[in-house]
Amino acid sequence: MHSPLSQITKREPVTVTLATSLREAITIMDRHKIGSIIVIEPERQLPLGIFTLRDLLHRVTLPQVSLDEPIASVMTAGVITVKPETTAYEASLIMARRGLRHLLVVDDAARLVAIVSQNDLFALQRSNLKDVSNDIRLARDLPTLQVCAKEVQRIALGLVTQGVAAAQLTEFVSTLNDLLTLRVIELTHDEFDLPEVKWCWLALGSEGRYEQTLCTDQDNGIIFECDDDASAAEALRQRFLPFAQAVNQKLNACGFPLCKGGIMAGNPQWCLSLPEWRARFRDWIEHPQPKALLNAAIFFDFRPLYGFEGLSDALRTWLLEATRNAQLFLRLMADNALQCAPPLGLIRDFVFDDNKDYPNTLDLKMVGSRPFVDAARLLSLTHGVRHTSTAQRLLGASKSVNFGGDDVAAMVDGFYYIQLLRLRHQHQVLGQSGGGNRINPDQLNELDRHILKEAFKQARKLQSRLKMDYRL
């Protein structure tokens, strides 16, 4: 499932043009013994639509459409495309999230390369991802979504037990949590008379990075379209806030606790127009204060979840341009990224903090995954990487930063290993209060202790690179 689609899709896609008759298209499908055919613009090989056996039944046979009609009249337009480097696992998640049976693979020039079907990715069925995602999409009320939320956690716990890798598991959890949030928003949307402006629900923090674990609270916001007019923005905000607060409460009922720091769309501070979000980021960038930046870090991990994604994309484009040469801001971000040093000792394997509630333990979130997350965030802002996940940020930055040899791959592996230990431990202590990220390394076997130490070394190596690049 880690393999790119370019290594999986072997068949050449069978295509027709917009003017091809239904009779001819069906004949071609029968000749090739295929269940779908792609409609393209022939000169540039751009995919325009898809026609399947399901379309044949519902759009041709039952309505008794003439077979002499052009296929353009019954095809499904607006097809979803992916790139050849997309992994089979990522393709499975996209299909599950959008309820698709096929994805079209295109190159950088948007030319059709291949088609991948749900049957090609049959391994998807083993995790029940398709079933639970369908249940979420079809949910009509909050009690049903609460049942779905418990099912997501049950499946996730099963995958932890089966030894599924952290990369797949965290993306699995994040994707189904996305689906759940989307459905909550859709159902709540119908209860409110929202203003007729473009708006978007933003995922922040670990959800924005596709790195949610089994113990996670809410981090979200709203961005809406409005001119740079304070009174108009305030009027729109007051329209959005009751809706956003209702969504926050329903997510809480589904097992996503309210953020203790109030970083939620229902908070007026994080329900902002595009100009207001730019002003908020501009203040952090042009007047950086170490503590303020520390608290604001998760806002730089935003991604669109529901609504008009163009607003989020515009904010990301503006942000990367604004941070690229903001030297003082980047230097303070680097200084913050060095605050949590990996707990490696000179004599003992590990160094413990003074936590009285959990003595002789390591906080795998604070001193484990956070050094990677903070460093990757900084590198993405420095080198214009649009990705929000830690692994993709590190890989994207490696095109501009020479980490040396296979170091970036080792850093990514180290990050995911720590995430895996967090997930295993959360599985063990689920339902208990606190301690979800704290482990006693003496309770690990010799191999896990050794790998954990090596993972911490990768974090230290990454921080050493920051010290050198930002002269700290």
Side-chain angles (χ1 to χ4, degrees):
M1 297 299 286
H2 272 304
S3 302
L5 294 179
S6 58
Q7 295 181 9
I8 297 172
T9 52
K10 303 300 182 182
R11 266 184 334 197
E12 287 289 327
V14 179
T15 64
V16 292
T17 66
L18 288 169
T20 303
S21 70
L22 280 169
R23 189 185 310 280
E24 183 179 356
I26 295 169
T27 301
I28 294 172
M29 293 170 67
D30 180 60
R31 185 190 317 140
H32 289 273
K33 294 181 172 56
I34 54 176
S36 61
I37 196 165
I38 312 302
V39 183
I40 63 167
E41 187 278 305
E43 292 185 7
R44 293 177 293 170
Q45 293 293 301
L46 302 181
L48 303 175
I50 186 172
F51 180 77
T52 68
L53 292 178
R54 184 180 179 85
D55 297 329
L56 175 63
L57 174 63
H58 292 283
R59 299 180 182 179
V60 179
T61 305
L62 293 179
Q64 298 183 340
V65 173
S66 170
L67 294 182
D68 294 323
E69 288 291 314
I71 197 170
S73 63
V74 293
M75 72 177 187
T76 299
V79 290
I80 303 300
T81 63
V82 292
K83 295 296 181 64
E85 60 267 26
T86 302
T87 67
Y89 185 75
E90 291 170 338
S92 297
L93 292 175
I94 293 171
M95 285 186 181
R97 180 171 181 171
R98 296 180 175 267
L100 303 175
R101 292 180 175 82
H102 302 84
L103 284 176
L104 303 188
V105 184
V106 298
D107 62 17
D108 290 336
R111 292 187 296 262
L112 180 66
V113 174
I115 180 173
V116 59
S117 71
Q118 204 172 51
N119 290 335
D120 296 329
L121 306 174
F122 66 91
L124 178 62
Q125 303 295 332
R126 292 186 298 185
S127 67
N128 295 326
L129 180 56
K130 180 174 180 290
D131 293 337
V132 70
S133 63
N134 283 338
D135 290 342
I136 293 171
R137 276 196 299 270
L138 296 174
R140 291 290 180 266
D141 52 40
L142 182 59
T144 304
L145 286 174
Q146 290 175 306
V147 172
C148 291
K150 292 179 180 179
E151 180 65 9
V152 170
Q153 188 170 79
R154 185 192 68 78
I155 295 173
L157 291 174
L159 294 176
V160 172
T161 304
Q162 294 169 27
V164 172
Q168 291 98 321
L169 187 50
T170 53
E171 191 168 348
F172 168 88
V173 172
S174 295
T175 296
L176 287 186
N177 287 349
D178 277 3
L179 280 177
L180 199 67
T181 303
L182 285 168
R183 193 61 186 139
V184 167
I185 295 172
E186 288 171 348
L187 293 177
T188 310
H189 189 294
D190 296 337
E191 301 172 8
F192 290 85
D193 180 23
L194 296 181
E196 295 184 2
V197 297
K198 293 177 181 178
W199 65 278
C200 183
W201 187 277
L202 299 176
L204 308 171
S206 61
E207 186 180 8
R209 299 191 304 270
Y210 296 99
E211 292 164 8
Q212 287 184 302
T213 58
L214 301 178
C215 302
T216 185
D217 60 3
Q218 293 184 51
D219 291 309
N220 45 58
I222 281 180
I223 181 172
F224 56 86
E225 187 177 59
C226 181
D227 294 333
D228 197 359
D229 182 327
S231 59
E234 182 60 30
L236 289 171
R237 182 166 24 260
Q238 293 306 317
R239 296 277 301 279
F240 278 115
L241 284 175
F243 157 75
Q245 290 161 2
V247 172
N248 290 148
Q249 291 298 332
K250 289 179 181 178
L251 289 175
N252 181 48
C254 288
F256 303 100
L258 300 173
C259 176
K260 294 179 181 179
I263 302 175
M264 293 177 292
N267 184 335
Q269 294 184 66
W270 314 121
C271 180
L272 305 174
S273 67
L274 178 57
E276 288 174 329
W277 274 110
R278 286 175 178 166
R280 191 64 57 90
F281 278 111
R282 186 183 295 112
D283 186 54
W284 288 324
I285 295 167
E286 296 180 358
H287 307 97
Q289 299 294 327
K291 187 175 181 179
L293 288 181
L294 197 62
N295 295 329
I298 66 170
F299 292 99
F300 291 89
D301 301 335
F302 70 87
R303 66 177 173 88
L305 187 57
Y306 177 92
F308 185 70
E309 297 184 3
L311 289 169
S312 175
D313 293 342
L315 183 58
R316 177 67 62 187
T317 299
W318 175 89
L319 178 62
L320 293 178
E321 184 63 30
T323 57
R324 187 181 296 271
N325 296 310
Q327 296 304 318
L328 178 58
F329 162 78
L330 294 173
R331 195 172 190 278
L332 288 178
M333 287 284 285
D335 190 58
N336 282 343
L338 299 175
Q339 296 303 308
C340 295
L344 294 170
L346 295 175
I347 300 176
R348 296 181 300 171
D349 283 348
F350 305 106
V351 176
F352 303 113
D353 56 25
D354 298 325
N355 190 295
K356 296 180 181 179
D357 295 328
Y358 301 96
N360 300 320
T361 61
L362 303 172
D363 188 333
L364 289 182
K365 179 179 180 181
M366 187 62 65
V367 297
S369 59
R370 181 177 160 183
F372 292 98
V373 170
D374 287 352
R377 180 187 298 116
L378 170 63
L379 291 170
S380 73
L381 295 173
T382 303
H383 300 287
V385 178
R386 297 184 70 90
H387 295 290
T388 57
S389 78
T390 297
Q392 291 297 326
R393 280 172 163 175
L394 290 173
L395 293 168
S398 68
K399 298 174 182 178
S400 303
V401 179
N402 181 15
F403 287 110
D406 295 327
D407 282 2
V408 67
M411 291 171 185
V412 170
D413 287 344
F415 167 70
Y416 277 134
Y417 181 75
I418 291 173
Q419 291 288 80
L420 183 60
L421 284 188
R422 288 179 65 194
L423 289 162
R424 287 180 185 171
H425 184 64
Q426 289 175 5
H427 182 202
Q428 293 171 1
V429 304
L430 198 65
Q432 302 177 22
S433 59
N437 290 303
R438 282 192 168 270
I439 67 161
N440 183 342
D442 290 336
Q443 295 177 357
L444 298 175
N445 63 44
E446 183 179 357
L447 180 60
D448 279 337
R449 281 174 59 90
H450 176 74
I451 299 176
L452 178 59
K453 185 175 181 180
E454 292 301 316
F456 284 144
K457 287 182 179 179
Q458 293 301 320
R460 186 168 63 183
K461 185 183 296 184
L462 183 55
Q463 289 190 337
S464 295
R465 181 57 189 254
L466 296 186
K467 291 179 182 178
M468 180 179 68
D469 288 352
Y470 297 92
R471 300 177 183 177
L472 296 171

